Amino acid sequence: MIPGQFEYVRPGDLDEALRILKDREGEAKLLSGGYSLIPLIKLRLAQPGLLVDLQDVTGLDGISETDDHLRIGARATHRQINENEIVADRYPMLHEATALIGDPQVRNWGTIGGSIAHADPASDWPALLLATGATVVCRGQSTEREIKARDFFVDTFTTAIEPTEVLTEVRLPRRPRLAGGAYNKLERKVGDFATCGAAVAVQLAGDGRIVWAGVALTGVAESPFAATDAEALLQGGTPSEDLFRGAGAAAGVQARPAADVRGSVEYKRAMAAEMTVRSLRSAVARAQAYA
Ligand SMILES: Cc1cc2nc3c(=O)[nH]c(=O)nc-3n(C[C@H](O)[C@H](O)[C@H](O)COP(=O)(O)OP(=O)(O)OC[C@H]3O[C@@H](n4cnc5c(N)ncnc54)[C@H](O)[C@@H]3O)c2cc1C
């Protein structure tokens, strides 16, 4: 697998990266961890004329909490996020999900920005962002857009990013009291992409009812998607196994899986329901404990 020829540049700051993207629009491609892009180039499924390596660009890293959101820089690796103290302490859903991405090598190199810009329907980050109501920040030469995750993932490998923009950070709503989230992923073997994954985030009221729920699925549609029928069913409900089973069934029906080596359509629908139920149980238990 020998790639075609391409030029390579390593800009030192974001303005320079944006200028290059504008000057070489149509042929330049950003490079972050390279764990999705390099295989595509080797297989000649992508043939960019110029790779713009982001590794020296400052300001795209770091993880911090503001008054209203958790900010994750686009260049943060899955491992850095997994090992971050704020994430481990207050965002268990992200902590458990990042431990399930690929293998240690993938987690050391792969970045959150690269993962969501790539928008593989089998990747884990999109469902986490859809379920939590996250936003994605994209910078152009003279523009900055904050895009809701639900408007960001357009189709298979297609997002709302313009070719002249750089995704700079992801913002997840700061976790309030009585809120919790969980991610369950079914994989054939350790390190595999998901057969199916379910991300669930809930906010409870003081009386224990669910006042807000986000449910999103990995690997069971042509693009990452929010299971809105399950969300509607959960809204206002009192947590119970029956409610969870009903929401799981709704998520399974709304899934649009394709049969492949990971299973039949019927199997994937059943697993979408089951992963949703498991994530609901954990998310609600975590919300109840976070008083
Ligand atoms: C063996 C293997 C197993 C894997 N298993 C999993 C798994 O279980 N779950 C999972 O979710 N993923 C998995 N992955 C994918 C992995 O997480 C990748 O790291 C990720 O998909 C891409 O991130 P990256 O930083 O490597 O991006 P790159 O490969 O560098 O880039 C990917 C795409 O994003 C664009 N891009 C990158 N950064 C930006 C930016 N800041 N702004 C705009 N566009 C940008 C690039 O131009 C390119 O189109 C696996 C990969 C491999 C090779």
Side-chain angles (χ1 to χ4, degrees):
M1 290 190 291
I2 299 172
Q5 283 203 335
F6 54 83
E7 291 171 67
Y8 171 88
V9 287
R10 210 158 141 169
D13 60 45
L14 188 56
D15 287 340
E16 193 186 347
L18 289 167
R19 185 185 50 72
I20 297 167
L21 282 185
K22 185 76 183 164
D23 288 351
R24 304 284 294 267
E25 191 175 346
E27 51 169 342
K29 197 99 182 107
L30 294 171
L31 177 70
S32 189
Y35 264 64
S36 292
L37 185 56
I38 298 295
L40 288 180
I41 293 175
K42 282 185 164 180
L43 292 166
R44 302 206 180 203
L45 293 170
Q47 291 193 297
L50 172 67
L51 282 190
V52 184
D53 192 339
L54 290 174
Q55 68 178 290
D56 292 341
V57 173
T58 50
L60 299 182
D61 51 1
I63 300 165
S64 55
E65 234 181 359
T66 69
D67 284 347
D68 58 2
H69 64 260
L70 174 73
R71 174 205 172 273
I72 307 180
R75 285 269 308 146
T77 63
H78 310 311
R79 178 178 170 187
Q80 285 167 346
I81 299 166
N82 178 260
E83 292 182 350
N84 181 268
E85 273 180 30
I86 302 168
V87 171
D89 186 40
R90 290 197 282 286
Y91 301 85
M93 170 194 208
L94 306 186
H95 181 67
E96 69 196 357
T98 44
L100 295 170
I101 296 177
D103 52 33
Q105 210 176 335
V106 172
R107 295 195 287 274
N108 280 342
W109 278 92
T111 63
I112 185 171
S115 177
I116 59 178
H118 189 54
D120 185 331
S123 65
D124 299 293
W125 272 112
L128 298 167
L129 303 192
L130 289 167
T132 52
T135 58
V136 170
V137 179
C138 295
R139 272 274 314 270
Q141 267 193 311
S142 54
T143 55
E144 180 172 284
R145 301 192 292 151
E146 184 173 357
I147 307 167
K148 289 182 184 153
R150 292 189 181 209
D151 297 326
F152 181 79
F153 299 104
V154 175
D155 207 336
T156 315
F157 301 117
T158 309
T159 71
I161 307 178
E162 295 292 335
T164 51
E165 286 179 321
V166 174
L167 194 164
T168 54
E169 66 185 53
V170 173
R171 295 176 185 165
L172 292 100
R174 190 182 165 119
R175 184 180 178 193
R177 285 176 57 246
L178 292 172
Y183 187 66
N184 274 271
K185 171 177 177 176
L186 177 69
E187 51 190 2
R188 291 177 304 172
K189 57 184 171 61
V190 173
D192 194 15
F193 279 94
T195 299
C196 171
V200 170
V202 293
Q203 171 71 57
L204 305 182
D207 63 4
R209 280 178 311 106
I210 298 172
V211 286
W212 184 86
V215 180
L217 299 177
T218 300
V220 285
E222 65 286 351
S223 59
F225 80 103
T228 47
D229 292 347
E231 291 174 345
L233 219 126
L234 290 163
Q235 187 85 29
T238 301
S240 70
E241 192 59 21
D242 276 354
L243 182 67
F244 299 166
R245 289 264 156 223
V253 169
Q254 214 180 346
R256 301 176 298 275
D260 60 18
V261 289
R262 292 189 174 84
S264 65
V265 168
E266 297 73 22
Y267 174 72
K268 289 187 180 182
R269 279 194 198 283
M271 291 305 103
E274 182 59 30
M275 292 303 117
T276 302
V277 171
R278 290 183 192 186
S279 290
L280 266 167
R281 284 189 198 123
S282 306
V284 167
R286 284 172 176 163
Q288 287 165 341
Y290 200 66

